[in-house]
Amino acid sequence: MNFIRRVLMVLGIAGIAGALLRVRGKSEPSSQRGGWRPLNPTTDSIVDQTSSQN
Amino acid sequence: MIDFSGAIGVIGAGVTGSRVVEHLVATSSLPILLHDQDLYGAQRLAAVHRSHNVAVSVVDFEAVSTASVVVLACGSPHAPLAQKILARGASVVSLSDDVSDVMNLLKMHDEVAAKNKTLVVGAAASPGMTGLLLSSLQSNFDEIDEAHVALHGTGGPNCAVQHHRALAGQSIGWHDGEWLRRPGGSGRELCWFPEPVGAYDCYRAEMADPVLLKKAQPHLQRITARVSANRRDRFTARLPMLVPPHAEGGMGALRIEVRGFRNGSRIVEIAGVAERVAQIAGVVGATTALFVHRGQITTTGTCVLGQDSLPNAEILRDVLTGGIRLHQFVGT
């Protein structure tokens, strides 16, 4: 009986902690910025010295 | 037997095979010999192109082997087929993305070289296009040491089955001088693909890319390959496919992230393509076959796209001219 109580208590605490994190947790905005640039094979070279450095 | 030595053979009239034929019809006037176990499917595909100037003939396996080069766009395994075709004197371009099949094809190097023929292994989207992109990006660096591939989407039904199997298998990755095996479906990483595909969670999978990229650029220190998957894909990966695959997957994408040094600084370059996977595979396979046919690929034995002895820049240029749009990630 004690064992079941302990298991239920652990599950309850874990559930509450998970719910708190999900509701109140804040994710930091990503510091990465950027996007995709189409390369035109006729005019652009894939060799592009101005490309991303991350 | 009629001699079709000036023709290009295509085995497989499914989604990828039809894209190979379409690209060959659009870019060359060479006769095409088409073979598929599904005779009706092959005849239907040939009939679609009947009004064009190029002759697309449905033939048996013996006849297709008399072409100068044969594109294998059917389901795996390709190794036994390639062996028979090479024995009859044709070069082969294989679009296989199955790891064990690719390994068996690579083992045929001495046999192919002795016949003075060419066997291009993995000339599809991933592998294939990834090798071409790696070769292109390499010119932006003084030295490269890492390549990381990610793929989203599938081509035809065979490709979908392969994607399903890949998530249940053992991923192979090259890491500081040794091959590392990790369970498929692990190692989640959020990968951004060119629009309109966007971001997808990608996981390790049993993909042939690391093996072929390592053969293309042996000095690479780390190579990984991931494939996009959702929870259902990962949960059902070890079960038989519960739902029959779609006739063709939707919009797919692939990207390759290359890391290395330029002017002493550590830099990263990312290139990607957003297109239906079968379309990428078909254009790359057909373009490679045309290069072999014209004698622009002179390497004998087994070879892979991206290796220095191949005219990768010219192949990529023709692939892009064939309607594949290349994108580069710009940002920090």
Side-chain angles (χ1 to χ4, degrees), chain B residues 123-186:
Chain B
S126 172
M129 188 69 184
T130 51
L132 294 175
L133 294 180
L134 173 67
S135 172
S136 287
L137 290 176
Q138 193 181 3
S139 56
N140 293 3
F141 294 81
D142 297 330
E143 183 193 348
I144 60 168
D145 54 12
E146 290 189 44
H148 304 281
V149 171
L151 172 71
H152 169 72
T154 57
N158 283 325
C159 189
V161 171
Q162 176 61 28
H163 175 271
H164 180 82
R165 258 194 243 131
L167 280 168
Q170 290 262 311
S171 82
I172 305 172
W174 181 252
H175 189 95
D176 294 342
E178 60 179 332
W179 289 107
L180 288 187
R181 287 184 171 270
R182 294 276 187 267
S186 64

Side-chain angles (χ1 to χ4, degrees), chain A residues 33-35 37 39 47 51-52, chain B residues 140 192 269 326 328 330-332:
Chain A
R33 294 281 183 276
R37 183 173 73 96
L39 289 177
V47 182
S51 60
S52 65
Chain B
N140 293 3
W192 290 84
E269 296 270 350
L326 180 61
Q328 185 177 33
V330 181
T332 55

Side-chain angles (χ1 to χ4, degrees), chain B residues 166-167 171 182-188 202-207 225-227:
Chain B
L167 280 168
S171 82
R182 294 276 187 267
S186 64
R188 182 171 65 183
C202 293
Y203 302 85
R204 293 191 190 103
E206 192 173 309
M207 297 170 75
R226 282 178 166 78
V227 69

